Amino acid sequence: MSMDFLAPPKSKSHRVSDTPWKILVVDDDPDVHDVTRIAVDGCEFDGRSFQLLHALSAQEARELLSEHDDIAVALVDVVMENDTAGLGLVSWIRSELGNSFTRLILRTGQPGYAPQTDVIMKFDVDGYAEKAELSRTKLITAIVTALRGYKLVRSLESNRQKLKKLNAQFSAIVEKNALNEFADLVLKNFSELAGEPVDGLLCGMESSPKAGAAGSSNVRVLAGSGMFADKLDLPLDIIGEDLVRKCVSECIAKMSEYSTSQGVALPLLTRNGLSGAIFIGLPISVLNEKIGSEIIRLFVSNVALGYEKTGLLEHIRNLAYVDRTTGQSTFSGFLEAFQSQVMAERPLLVIHCDIQRFRFIVDGIGDEKAGAVLKQTGNRLSQTFPDALAIARKEKDEFLILLKGGLHVRIQDIVARIEDAFQDPIAIEENQISLKLRCGIASVEGAECSAEECVRHASIALNDVRQKGLTNHAVFHPLMQEAALERLRLASLLTGKGAQAEFSLNYQPIMQASDEAIASFEALMRFRTASGAMLNTTRMIEAAETSGLIVEIGAWMFRSAFTEFNRLKGLSERVRLNVNLSPRQVQANRIYKDIEDAAASAGLGLDRLVFEVTEGLFVNNDQVTLSLLTWLRSKGAKVVIDDFGTGYSSFSYLRKLPLDGIKIDRSFIMNMEQDPDALAVVRSIIAVAKALDLSITAEGVETADQRKIMQEQQCDFLQGYLFAKPIPSTELDGFINAANGPDLAAG
């Protein structure tokens, strides 16, 4: 060997990497090991020094190669234990050990033992030289050349593995259908590629591309890792790190890579305009070194495709599961949430709410502002029930709340929370809108009923509240469902083609208590089947009310009753006609026109009419109801409360309402002879009514003793079977002719 092996190495001023290149010297001559050590002492390549490993035989080399999988170069003597020991080692390295990375340089001191060309090619040998020809310069050149080859094949293999990992990652990424899950997996995969945890953010649009322009105000954090792990779901605008915020904002705005001293943002370019960016808290140069620029670009391209697909799926899912008006769940989302809770076999409560008089809010402020009312309603429910398993808008002004049930849950507490939530009005621009919610509540234990069935139960309870109007909530009971089925059957009689119900009017006289002269006639609906069988009037009215047919039936009643009454002979102009108004009729916009048209058609003045309403209409001080009744009185009609004492029964509200009289419910009249408490109630009602200058009618007077008691209590009018049952219009003339005494006016 040439003596330039002994040339002193040049001094190095720059810092050498802590990880040296491992070079294995395989030779049975110890002097060769010493000379090689001297030759490479102080040498470095690519900022890394050389570390020599020594083997005096092929067997020792095998042991070292098995122990160290990062040997970059092996200098192998061809002839050692035998003439082919070196070639056998090379064959073992490539074939049995499966090491295709270590670069192999063959050396021999015996030219006759040089390997054939096919051996060099077969075993991927990087070089061959006789020891005598291998000067220091040539040796270092050969080693550096081999190191370049090692670095290249290692880089290629690393890229191959990373590409393989990318394919696996992409398969996992595209399986994610939720943006947060997708984004979290992306950052985990980026850390895997980098070989260490990274501080990262994945930011994206808060809404679909069509909903607004890309900008920091419309971007939120979909996932965070490392120092950014606590930024999840925050808007980009409120992230405290100014440089990070600027980096991501500029990247999204310009859709190009953007770097700052704190890291780099890489844009997610999609075809549907869904903007996003990955921020990594490392310089791009470090990332390129750790991962490789091509791998980074390919990874980001894959992420962009996954982001596009996942964002689109989330947008589609939002269309199905997120109500666009309120931001709450849709009914479909509610059913899904319910199902997941039922599978856990825990007791649940379903609350079905609606907003009273919402239709009139819409009429007053318009659809757009009414949508804002719904949004604020949903927000208040969310704030009131942070423990809710789901809150959804069902339809129009209806909301569903899913809560945990159980014996510890008190219905009154839930109702009180809802009432408290809406104590303060909702502000919509200059409007202050007070809301009252009604609730139907159904409970479920385990999987005893489906989501749809449970919601239906809550809806039946809510309808019960709507019909009765006496409270703001009701809890479902099976009897409610039976009643609902019966109302449905009866309603079908009003609309069905095969067995339509026929309706007609009967009239019951109301007598003046002082002289028992006719004061008024109350028009009463009667229903019968086509075959002539009579149907229960109360149930038919309930069915008509529930189905909405009551408005049409009521209009028919106005026309028929006004006409028939005006045709009666022998009545004073002061005798009136009483007609009943149902809650659904009162709330219908057409009620004014129906009354005026019927009166005009019959030629009957409204001053001949008395309108009877139930106490439930006044529970919520409904302005629509009050406006109608005030209008009726302005036209000369009278307004009385029917069945007084069975509903709200508060004397305090009587003086505030547009009323002319009350009708004491028959249950008190029928029992006052035997029940002192009932008589005391009757006396109290009469005393209050007289103090408020309201007329008093006693319903259900059936005995002479009852008549006498009411006359003694100075009741104004009497109505009941003692005087006459309800009779058809064809028999009214006979009743009038037979009546004694002069005709006197009501009131």
Side-chain angles (χ1 to χ4, degrees), residues 217-254:
S217 63
N218 201 32
V219 174
R220 64 183 173 94
V221 176
L222 302 178
S225 62
M227 66 178 291
F228 302 116
D230 61 343
K231 308 300 184 185
L232 179 64
D233 282 334
L234 290 179
L236 180 61
D237 276 350
I238 66 172
I239 291 181
E241 294 78 3
D242 293 341
L243 286 178
V244 173
R245 188 172 62 251
K246 179 181 179 182
C247 189
V248 175
S249 298
E250 291 293 329
C251 174
I252 290 178
K254 298 176 180 178

Side-chain angles (χ1 to χ4, degrees), residues 11 64 120 178 181 209 226 285 288 304 332 495 591 628 663 690:
S11 62
L64 286 171
I120 294 175
E181 291 181 4
S285 58
N288 287 337
S332 297
T495 58
I591 185 69
L628 172 64
K663 297 180 72 174
K690 286 190 173 298

Side-chain angles (χ1 to χ4, degrees), residues 98-328:
N99 182 342
S100 60
F101 302 115
T102 301
R103 309 327 300 159
L104 302 173
I105 299 175
L106 297 179
R107 298 191 297 183
T108 182
Q110 304 178 40
Y113 290 94
Q116 298 295 324
T117 303
D118 60 340
V119 173
I120 294 175
M121 297 180 66
K122 177 179 179 181
F123 296 115
D124 192 18
V125 175
D126 289 81
Y128 167 75
E130 295 181 11
K131 295 178 183 178
E133 299 174 350
L134 205 57
S135 66
R136 178 178 185 273
T137 301
K138 289 183 178 180
L139 175 63
I140 292 176
T141 300
I143 291 175
V144 169
T145 301
L147 286 174
R148 287 196 178 100
Y150 177 79
K151 183 179 178 182
L152 177 62
V153 295
R154 273 295 187 187
S155 176
L156 290 173
E157 175 59 18
S158 175
N159 286 346
R160 188 183 74 82
Q161 291 297 330
K162 287 175 180 175
L163 287 171
K164 183 178 179 181
K165 184 177 290 185
L166 277 179
N167 285 333
Q169 289 174 346
F170 185 63
S171 297
I173 284 172
V174 297
E175 288 179 358
K176 298 297 181 184
N177 295 329
L179 274 176
N180 288 97
E181 291 181 4
F182 159 82
D184 187 59
L185 184 59
V186 166
L187 293 182
K188 288 179 180 177
N189 290 343
F190 208 105
S191 293
E192 289 180 12
L193 287 176
E196 64 180 67
V198 297
D199 298 324
L201 289 170
L202 198 153
C203 302
M205 300 290 289
E206 192 170 26
S207 54
S208 63
K210 293 182 180 179
S216 60
S217 63
N218 201 32
V219 174
R220 64 183 173 94
V221 176
L222 302 178
S225 62
M227 66 178 291
F228 302 116
D230 61 343
K231 308 300 184 185
L232 179 64
D233 282 334
L234 290 179
L236 180 61
D237 276 350
I238 66 172
I239 291 181
E241 294 78 3
D242 293 341
L243 286 178
V244 173
R245 188 172 62 251
K246 179 181 179 182
C247 189
V248 175
S249 298
E250 291 293 329
C251 174
I252 290 178
K254 298 176 180 178
M255 277 290 101
S256 61
E257 180 183 305
Y258 194 90
S259 295
T260 68
S261 59
Q262 286 192 260
V264 61
L266 306 168
L268 300 177
L269 303 174
T270 65
R271 295 167 296 180
N272 64 356
L274 192 65
S275 301
I278 304 174
F279 176 83
I280 302 298
L282 291 171
I284 188 63
S285 58
V286 175
L287 286 179
N288 287 337
E289 181 180 344
K290 288 179 173 292
I291 302 175
S293 59
E294 293 297 328
I295 296 298
I296 291 175
R297 280 196 290 271
L298 184 57
F299 177 78
V300 172
S301 296
N302 284 348
V303 171
L305 289 173
Y307 178 52
E308 180 179 330
K309 169 258 181 185
T310 307
L312 179 61
L313 284 178
E314 180 148 304
H315 178 60
I316 293 172
R317 189 181 189 280
N318 284 345
L319 292 177
Y321 292 107
V322 178
D323 179 65
R324 301 189 69 178
T325 300
T326 64
Q328 304 297 327

